[in-house]
Amino acid sequence: MSLAVSLRRLTAAIGFALGIASSAAAEPALDRVSFGTNWVAQGEHGGFFQALADGTYRKFGLDVTIVPGGPNVNNRVLLIAGKLDFFMTANTLQSFDAVANNVPVVAVAAMFQKDPQVFLAHPESKVATIEDLKPLDLFISKEGIASYFQWLKSEYGFSAGKVKPYTSNAQPFLADKKSAMQGYVTSEPFAVEKQAGFKPTVILLADAGFNPYSTLIETRRDLVDNKQDLVQRFVDASIIGWYTYLYGDNTAGNAMIKKLNPEMTDDLLAYSVAKMKEHGIVDSGDSLRDGIGAMTDARYAGLFDQMVRAGVVRRDIDYRKAYTLQFVNKGVGLDLRPRDLQIKR
Protein backbone atom coordinates (compact mmCIF):
# COMPACT_ATOMS: atom_id res chain seq x y z
CA MET A 1 0.00 0.00 0.00
CA SER A 2 1.42 3.43 -0.98
CA LEU A 3 2.04 6.15 1.54
CA ALA A 4 -0.49 8.38 -0.24
CA VAL A 5 -3.26 5.76 0.04
CA SER A 6 -2.48 5.21 3.71
CA LEU A 7 -2.67 8.92 4.39
CA ARG A 8 -6.00 9.21 2.59
CA ARG A 9 -7.48 6.34 4.62
CA LEU A 10 -6.16 7.79 7.85
CA THR A 11 -7.62 11.18 7.00
CA ALA A 12 -11.00 9.59 6.21
CA ALA A 13 -11.00 7.63 9.46
CA ILE A 14 -10.18 10.73 11.48
CA GLY A 15 -12.90 12.66 9.70
CA PHE A 16 -15.45 9.93 10.40
CA ALA A 17 -14.49 9.83 14.08
CA LEU A 18 -14.70 13.60 14.35
CA GLY A 19 -18.11 13.50 12.71
CA ILE A 20 -19.39 11.04 15.31
CA ALA A 21 -17.97 13.14 18.11
CA SER A 22 -19.49 16.28 16.65
CA SER A 23 -22.89 14.62 16.30
CA ALA A 24 -22.76 13.37 19.87
CA ALA A 25 -21.76 16.78 21.14
CA ALA A 26 -24.59 18.40 19.18
CA GLU A 27 -27.21 16.14 20.77
CA PRO A 28 -28.30 17.83 24.00
CA ALA A 29 -27.97 15.90 27.22
CA LEU A 30 -31.21 14.49 28.58
CA ASP A 31 -32.42 15.25 32.10
CA ARG A 32 -32.93 12.06 34.06
CA VAL A 33 -36.38 11.83 35.60
CA SER A 34 -38.02 9.08 37.68
CA PHE A 35 -41.78 8.67 37.89
CA GLY A 36 -43.53 6.24 40.22
CA THR A 37 -47.04 4.94 39.59
CA ASN A 38 -49.39 3.78 42.34
CA TRP A 39 -50.05 0.29 40.99
CA VAL A 40 -48.83 -2.29 38.48
CA ALA A 41 -48.72 -1.35 34.80
CA GLN A 42 -52.19 -1.15 33.24
CA GLY A 43 -54.28 0.71 30.70
CA GLU A 44 -55.23 3.33 33.27
CA HIS A 45 -51.57 4.42 33.22
CA GLY A 46 -51.33 4.18 29.45
CA GLY A 47 -50.47 7.76 28.53
CA PHE A 48 -47.32 7.72 30.63
CA PHE A 49 -46.08 4.46 29.13
CA GLN A 50 -46.97 5.75 25.67
CA ALA A 51 -44.86 8.88 26.15
CA LEU A 52 -41.94 6.72 27.23
CA ALA A 53 -42.32 4.03 24.57
CA ASP A 54 -42.79 6.30 21.55
CA GLY A 55 -39.99 8.72 22.47
CA THR A 56 -42.13 11.70 23.47
CA TYR A 57 -40.29 12.18 26.75
CA ARG A 58 -36.96 12.15 24.91
CA LYS A 59 -38.25 14.79 22.49
CA PHE A 60 -38.80 16.97 25.54
CA GLY A 61 -35.24 16.39 26.72
CA LEU A 62 -36.13 13.81 29.36
CA ASP A 63 -34.66 10.40 30.09
CA VAL A 64 -37.61 8.98 32.04
CA THR A 65 -37.72 5.84 34.16
CA ILE A 66 -41.18 4.65 35.19
CA VAL A 67 -41.25 2.74 38.48
CA PRO A 68 -44.48 0.70 38.73
CA GLY A 69 -46.25 0.44 42.06
CA GLY A 70 -47.83 -2.64 43.55
CA PRO A 71 -49.16 -4.19 46.76
CA ASN A 72 -45.77 -4.02 48.48
CA VAL A 73 -44.48 -0.80 46.90
CA ASN A 74 -45.02 2.70 48.30
CA ASN A 75 -43.76 5.06 45.63
CA ARG A 76 -45.19 8.12 47.33
CA VAL A 77 -42.79 7.60 50.24
CA LEU A 78 -39.96 7.38 47.70
CA LEU A 79 -41.09 10.71 46.21
CA ILE A 80 -41.06 12.38 49.61
CA ALA A 81 -37.62 10.90 50.36
CA GLY A 82 -36.21 12.32 47.12
CA LYS A 83 -35.78 8.90 45.47
CA LEU A 84 -38.37 9.73 42.81
CA ASP A 85 -39.09 13.01 41.02
CA PHE A 86 -42.78 12.52 40.28
CA PHE A 87 -45.58 10.28 41.52
CA MET A 88 -48.99 9.30 40.18
CA THR A 89 -51.38 9.92 43.08
CA ALA A 90 -54.81 8.28 43.01
CA ASN A 91 -57.06 11.29 43.60
CA THR A 92 -57.39 14.76 45.06
CA LEU A 93 -58.27 13.45 48.51
CA GLN A 94 -54.71 12.18 48.88
CA SER A 95 -53.47 15.67 48.02
CA PHE A 96 -55.69 17.16 50.74
CA ASP A 97 -54.36 14.57 53.18
CA ALA A 98 -50.81 15.62 52.34
CA VAL A 99 -51.64 19.21 53.30
CA ALA A 100 -53.25 18.08 56.53
CA ASN A 101 -50.07 16.18 57.45
CA ASN A 102 -47.62 18.88 56.25
CA VAL A 103 -46.19 16.64 53.53
CA PRO A 104 -44.36 18.93 51.04
CA VAL A 105 -45.87 17.58 47.82
CA VAL A 106 -48.06 19.32 45.28
CA ALA A 107 -50.28 18.20 42.38
CA VAL A 108 -49.19 19.74 39.07
CA ALA A 109 -51.64 18.09 36.63
CA ALA A 110 -54.80 15.93 36.73
CA MET A 111 -54.79 13.34 33.95
CA PHE A 112 -58.28 12.07 34.85
CA GLN A 113 -61.05 14.65 34.94
CA LYS A 114 -63.33 12.00 36.46
CA ASP A 115 -62.58 9.47 39.17
CA PRO A 116 -63.22 6.02 37.60
CA GLN A 117 -64.79 4.63 40.79
CA VAL A 118 -68.01 2.68 40.15
CA PHE A 119 -70.44 0.27 41.75
CA LEU A 120 -71.31 -2.91 39.89
CA ALA A 121 -74.77 -4.43 40.40
CA HIS A 122 -76.60 -7.48 39.09
CA PRO A 123 -79.07 -6.81 36.25
CA GLU A 124 -81.78 -8.47 38.34
CA SER A 125 -81.56 -5.71 40.94
CA LYS A 126 -82.89 -3.18 38.39
CA VAL A 127 -80.41 -0.48 39.47
CA ALA A 128 -80.64 2.63 37.28
CA THR A 129 -79.43 5.44 39.56
CA ILE A 130 -77.16 5.79 42.54
CA GLU A 131 -80.21 5.97 44.81
CA ASP A 132 -81.17 2.45 43.71
CA LEU A 133 -78.03 1.13 45.40
CA LYS A 134 -79.20 2.04 48.92
CA PRO A 135 -81.17 -1.16 49.68
CA LEU A 136 -78.27 -3.39 48.52
CA ASP A 137 -75.35 -4.79 50.50
CA LEU A 138 -72.25 -2.89 49.34
CA PHE A 139 -68.82 -4.46 49.11
CA ILE A 140 -66.41 -1.57 49.82
CA SER A 141 -62.71 -1.44 50.71
CA LYS A 142 -61.32 0.29 53.81
CA GLU A 143 -60.10 3.14 51.61
CA GLY A 144 -63.54 3.47 50.04
CA ILE A 145 -65.26 3.56 53.42
CA ALA A 146 -62.99 6.42 54.51
CA SER A 147 -63.56 8.44 51.33
CA TYR A 148 -66.37 8.11 48.84
CA PHE A 149 -68.71 6.21 51.18
CA GLN A 150 -68.64 9.15 53.59
CA TRP A 151 -69.80 11.27 50.66
CA LEU A 152 -72.55 8.73 49.89
CA LYS A 153 -73.77 9.02 53.50
CA SER A 154 -73.61 12.82 53.46
CA GLU A 155 -75.15 13.44 50.05
CA TYR A 156 -77.50 10.48 49.63
CA GLY A 157 -78.15 9.08 53.10
CA PHE A 158 -76.52 5.69 52.63
CA SER A 159 -76.34 3.45 55.72
CA ALA A 160 -73.11 2.03 57.15
CA GLY A 161 -75.10 -1.05 58.12
CA LYS A 162 -75.22 -2.11 54.46
CA VAL A 163 -71.42 -2.13 54.03
CA LYS A 164 -69.46 -5.37 53.77
CA PRO A 165 -65.67 -5.64 53.37
CA TYR A 166 -64.29 -5.75 49.83
CA THR A 167 -61.07 -7.75 49.43
CA SER A 168 -60.50 -7.49 45.66
CA ASN A 169 -62.44 -10.73 45.24
CA ALA A 170 -65.62 -10.63 43.14
CA GLN A 171 -66.97 -13.97 44.36
CA PRO A 172 -69.06 -12.65 47.30
CA PHE A 173 -70.72 -10.16 44.94
CA LEU A 174 -71.35 -12.80 42.29
CA ALA A 175 -72.98 -15.05 44.87
CA ASP A 176 -75.36 -12.36 46.16
CA LYS A 177 -77.71 -10.83 43.61
CA LYS A 178 -78.89 -8.27 46.17
CA SER A 179 -75.44 -6.73 46.47
CA ALA A 180 -73.19 -4.26 44.68
CA MET A 181 -69.40 -4.14 44.47
CA GLN A 182 -66.93 -1.32 44.08
CA GLY A 183 -64.59 -1.22 41.10
CA TYR A 184 -63.11 0.87 38.33
CA VAL A 185 -65.17 1.47 35.21
CA THR A 186 -62.10 0.52 33.18
CA SER A 187 -61.51 -2.97 34.61
CA GLU A 188 -63.90 -4.70 37.04
CA PRO A 189 -66.95 -4.81 34.70
CA PHE A 190 -64.73 -6.53 32.12
CA ALA A 191 -63.50 -9.06 34.70
CA VAL A 192 -67.02 -9.83 35.94
CA GLU A 193 -68.32 -10.39 32.43
CA LYS A 194 -65.43 -12.72 31.66
CA GLN A 195 -65.76 -14.62 34.92
CA ALA A 196 -69.53 -14.82 35.32
CA GLY A 197 -70.86 -14.40 31.80
CA PHE A 198 -73.14 -11.41 32.36
CA LYS A 199 -72.83 -7.65 31.93
CA PRO A 200 -73.16 -5.93 35.29
CA THR A 201 -74.99 -2.65 35.73
CA VAL A 202 -72.39 0.07 36.24
CA ILE A 203 -72.93 3.29 38.21
CA LEU A 204 -70.11 5.84 37.88
CA LEU A 205 -69.88 7.90 41.07
CA ALA A 206 -68.47 10.90 39.19
CA ASP A 207 -71.70 11.18 37.22
CA ALA A 208 -73.61 11.29 40.51
CA GLY A 209 -71.54 14.20 41.85
CA PHE A 210 -68.40 12.63 43.37
CA ASN A 211 -65.97 15.23 42.13
CA PRO A 212 -62.25 14.54 42.76
CA TYR A 213 -59.64 14.60 40.05
CA SER A 214 -57.84 11.31 39.63
CA THR A 215 -54.46 10.05 38.37
CA LEU A 216 -52.69 13.29 39.21
CA ILE A 217 -49.02 14.03 38.69
CA GLU A 218 -47.54 14.95 42.03
CA THR A 219 -44.06 16.23 42.83
CA ARG A 220 -42.16 17.78 45.70
CA ARG A 221 -42.55 21.46 46.32
CA ASP A 222 -38.80 22.04 45.96
CA LEU A 223 -38.96 20.89 42.31
CA VAL A 224 -41.86 23.27 41.66
CA ASP A 225 -39.87 26.11 43.22
CA ASN A 226 -36.47 25.37 41.68
CA LYS A 227 -36.97 23.33 38.49
CA GLN A 228 -40.04 24.79 36.82
CA ASP A 229 -38.76 23.99 33.31
CA LEU A 230 -38.23 20.32 34.18
CA VAL A 231 -41.70 20.04 35.70
CA GLN A 232 -43.26 21.78 32.69
CA ARG A 233 -41.56 19.47 30.21
CA PHE A 234 -42.62 16.36 32.11
CA VAL A 235 -46.22 17.57 32.35
CA ASP A 236 -46.38 18.57 28.67
CA ALA A 237 -44.84 15.32 27.42
CA SER A 238 -47.18 13.28 29.62
CA ILE A 239 -50.18 15.17 28.25
CA ILE A 240 -49.12 14.40 24.69
CA GLY A 241 -48.61 10.78 25.68
CA TRP A 242 -52.21 10.65 26.86
CA TYR A 243 -53.58 12.17 23.66
CA THR A 244 -51.65 9.61 21.63
CA TYR A 245 -52.72 6.74 23.86
CA LEU A 246 -56.40 7.66 23.56
CA TYR A 247 -56.66 8.89 19.99
CA GLY A 248 -53.54 7.74 18.14
CA ASP A 249 -51.49 4.60 17.71
CA ASN A 250 -51.01 3.23 21.23
CA THR A 251 -49.27 0.03 20.15
CA ALA A 252 -45.94 1.00 21.71
CA GLY A 253 -47.48 1.96 25.05
CA ASN A 254 -49.51 -1.23 25.27
CA ALA A 255 -46.49 -3.36 24.38
CA MET A 256 -44.57 -1.83 27.29
CA ILE A 257 -47.50 -2.35 29.67
CA LYS A 258 -47.81 -6.02 28.67
CA LYS A 259 -44.09 -6.56 29.08
CA LEU A 260 -44.18 -5.18 32.62
CA ASN A 261 -47.48 -6.85 33.52
CA PRO A 262 -48.22 -10.02 31.52
CA GLU A 263 -51.71 -10.20 33.05
CA MET A 264 -52.72 -7.30 30.81
CA THR A 265 -54.32 -8.70 27.65
CA ASP A 266 -55.07 -6.92 24.39
CA ASP A 267 -58.80 -7.27 25.10
CA LEU A 268 -58.55 -5.70 28.56
CA LEU A 269 -56.36 -2.85 27.34
CA ALA A 270 -58.76 -2.11 24.49
CA TYR A 271 -61.68 -2.21 26.95
CA SER A 272 -59.92 0.21 29.31
CA VAL A 273 -59.26 2.71 26.53
CA ALA A 274 -62.81 2.42 25.22
CA LYS A 275 -64.32 3.06 28.66
CA MET A 276 -62.02 5.99 29.37
CA LYS A 277 -63.24 7.55 26.14
CA GLU A 278 -66.91 6.60 26.57
CA HIS A 279 -67.17 8.10 30.06
CA GLY A 280 -64.86 11.07 29.57
CA ILE A 281 -62.51 9.88 32.28
CA VAL A 282 -59.46 11.61 30.80
CA ASP A 283 -60.90 14.09 28.35
CA SER A 284 -64.08 15.92 29.39
CA GLY A 285 -65.17 19.07 31.17
CA ASP A 286 -62.37 21.64 31.43
CA SER A 287 -59.94 19.52 29.41
CA LEU A 288 -62.06 20.02 26.28
CA ARG A 289 -61.05 23.68 26.35
CA ASP A 290 -57.76 23.71 28.26
CA GLY A 291 -56.28 20.34 27.35
CA ILE A 292 -55.74 17.05 29.16
CA GLY A 293 -54.36 17.60 32.65
CA ALA A 294 -56.60 20.62 33.26
CA MET A 295 -57.39 21.79 36.79
CA THR A 296 -59.27 24.80 38.15
CA ASP A 297 -59.51 26.67 41.44
CA ALA A 298 -63.31 26.40 41.33
CA ARG A 299 -63.22 22.62 41.02
CA TYR A 300 -60.83 22.30 43.97
CA ALA A 301 -62.94 24.65 46.09
CA GLY A 302 -66.11 22.70 45.30
CA LEU A 303 -64.53 19.35 46.12
CA PHE A 304 -63.08 20.70 49.35
CA ASP A 305 -66.49 21.92 50.51
CA GLN A 306 -68.03 18.60 49.48
CA MET A 307 -65.49 16.59 51.46
CA VAL A 308 -65.73 18.88 54.52
CA ARG A 309 -69.50 18.31 54.61
CA ALA A 310 -68.84 14.58 54.43
CA GLY A 311 -66.33 14.72 57.26
CA VAL A 312 -63.50 13.42 55.09
CA VAL A 313 -61.24 16.48 55.47
CA ARG A 314 -60.92 19.21 58.10
CA ARG A 315 -62.15 22.68 57.25
CA ASP A 316 -59.11 24.35 58.84
CA ILE A 317 -56.56 23.07 56.29
CA ASP A 318 -55.39 25.33 53.46
CA TYR A 319 -56.44 23.09 50.58
CA ARG A 320 -54.89 25.51 48.07
CA LYS A 321 -51.48 24.19 49.07
CA ALA A 322 -52.43 20.84 47.53
CA TYR A 323 -52.00 22.00 43.93
CA THR A 324 -50.69 24.57 41.50
CA LEU A 325 -52.14 25.59 38.13
CA GLN A 326 -48.90 26.99 36.70
CA PHE A 327 -48.14 23.92 34.55
CA VAL A 328 -51.59 23.16 33.06
CA ASN A 329 -54.47 24.79 31.15
CA LYS A 330 -52.17 25.77 28.27
CA GLY A 331 -53.95 23.80 25.53
CA VAL A 332 -50.99 21.45 25.03
CA GLY A 333 -51.91 18.63 22.64
CA LEU A 334 -55.37 19.90 21.70
CA ASP A 335 -54.45 19.55 18.03
CA LEU A 336 -54.01 15.80 18.57
CA ARG A 337 -57.69 15.24 19.41
CA PRO A 338 -59.73 14.29 16.31
CA ARG A 339 -61.91 17.25 15.36
CA ASP A 340 -65.00 15.17 14.64
CA LEU A 341 -64.79 13.28 17.94
CA GLN A 342 -67.96 13.17 20.03
CA ILE A 343 -66.87 13.44 23.67
CA LYS A 344 -68.99 12.98 26.76
CA ARG A 345 -68.85 16.18 28.76
Side-chain angles (χ1 to χ4, degrees):
M1 182 184 298
S2 69
L3 178 60
V5 171
S6 297
L7 287 173
R8 283 198 299 272
R9 290 184 176 179
L10 179 60
T11 301
I14 292 173
F16 179 71
L18 288 174
I20 293 176
S22 175
S23 176
E27 184 177 333
L30 300 177
D31 292 312
R32 291 186 178 181
V33 168
S34 55
F35 172 61
T37 68
N38 61 2
W39 199 244
V40 295
Q42 55 190 277
E44 293 88 338
H45 308 169
F48 301 112
F49 286 107
Q50 183 67 35
L52 178 58
D54 69 11
T56 298
Y57 283 131
R58 294 186 70 87
K59 291 176 184 176
F60 279 76
L62 302 172
D63 178 8
V64 174
T65 299
I66 296 181
V67 182
N72 300 311
V73 179
N74 192 334
N75 278 334
R76 199 184 200 198
V77 170
L78 296 180
L79 171 70
I80 297 165
K83 303 297 184 182
L84 295 174
D85 300 303
F86 298 94
F87 173 65
M88 190 188 82
T89 194
N91 58 49
T92 316
L93 300 182
Q94 292 188 350
S95 301
F96 289 164
D97 184 67
V99 175
N101 290 285
N102 295 312
V103 179
V105 295
V106 59
V108 294
M111 294 311 180
F112 284 12
Q113 291 295 302
K114 292 183 179 182
D115 192 298
Q117 190 72 57
V118 297
F119 274 109
L120 286 66
H122 291 262
E124 293 86 349
S125 62
K126 306 297 183 183
V127 168
T129 69
I130 198 164
E131 294 271 9
D132 297 334
L133 294 168
K134 292 169 72 173
L136 306 181
D137 289 331
L138 304 175
F139 291 101
I140 305 177
S141 66
K142 290 180 180 179
E143 295 80 7
I145 292 171
S147 57
Y148 69 80
F149 185 71
Q150 301 307 310
W151 167 79
L152 285 171
K153 290 198 301 180
S154 171
E155 298 293 322
Y156 289 96
F158 276 62
S159 169
K162 304 298 291 184
V163 174
K164 294 186 175 182
Y166 173 70
T167 59
S168 300
N169 178 8
Q171 198 56 46
F173 161 69
L174 296 177
D176 182 359
K177 292 186 178 182
K178 294 182 179 180
S179 71
M181 178 186 80
Q182 74 170 43
Y184 267 17
V185 71
T186 47
S187 56
E188 273 73 20
F190 177 89
V192 165
E193 186 172 353
K194 287 289 185 181
Q195 182 177 347
F198 71 90
K199 286 188 176 182
T201 301
V202 176
I203 301 294
L204 184 67
L205 299 190
D207 288 344
F210 186 56
N211 205 31
Y213 294 115
S214 181
T215 309
L216 298 97
I217 298 176
E218 190 176 70
T219 191
R220 294 184 307 281
R221 190 163 294 280
D222 66 278
L223 263 71
V224 169
D225 293 339
N226 301 316
K227 294 187 177 181
Q228 291 97 336
D229 177 67
L230 180 75
V231 175
Q232 188 70 70
R233 283 184 285 135
F234 183 76
V235 169
D236 289 351
S238 298
I239 289 170
I240 290 174
W242 270 106
Y243 275 113
T244 304
Y245 190 71
L246 288 179
Y247 305 128
D249 180 1
N250 60 18
T251 304
N254 282 339
M256 183 172 287
I257 290 170
K258 288 187 292 183
K259 183 177 181 179
L260 290 168
N261 182 9
E263 292 186 5
M264 288 292 110
T265 64
D266 289 331
D267 286 349
L268 176 54
L269 289 168
Y271 180 91
S272 296
V273 171
K275 292 303 176 181
M276 284 190 282
K277 292 163 71 172
E278 176 186 343
H279 293 280
I281 300 298
V282 178
D283 198 12
S284 62
D286 294 317
S287 76
L288 300 181
R289 179 190 65 244
D290 298 328
I292 287 174
M295 303 189 296
T296 68
D297 291 323
R299 176 86 175 265
Y300 269 97
L303 175 66
F304 179 71
D305 287 342
Q306 186 183 75
M307 292 299 104
V308 168
R309 290 196 305 272
V312 176
V313 298
R314 304 194 320 262
R315 183 167 291 280
D316 63 344
I317 73 167
D318 185 357
Y319 72 89
R320 289 164 294 190
K321 291 182 178 179
Y323 69 99
T324 176
L325 304 182
Q326 72 183 92
F327 303 105
V328 293
N329 305 336
K330 302 176 187 292
V332 172
L334 282 174
D335 58 317
L336 300 176
R337 183 197 298 134
R339 292 187 177 182
D340 59 347
L341 193 69
Q342 297 296 314
I343 295 179
K344 185 172 182 178
R345 293 179 176 269

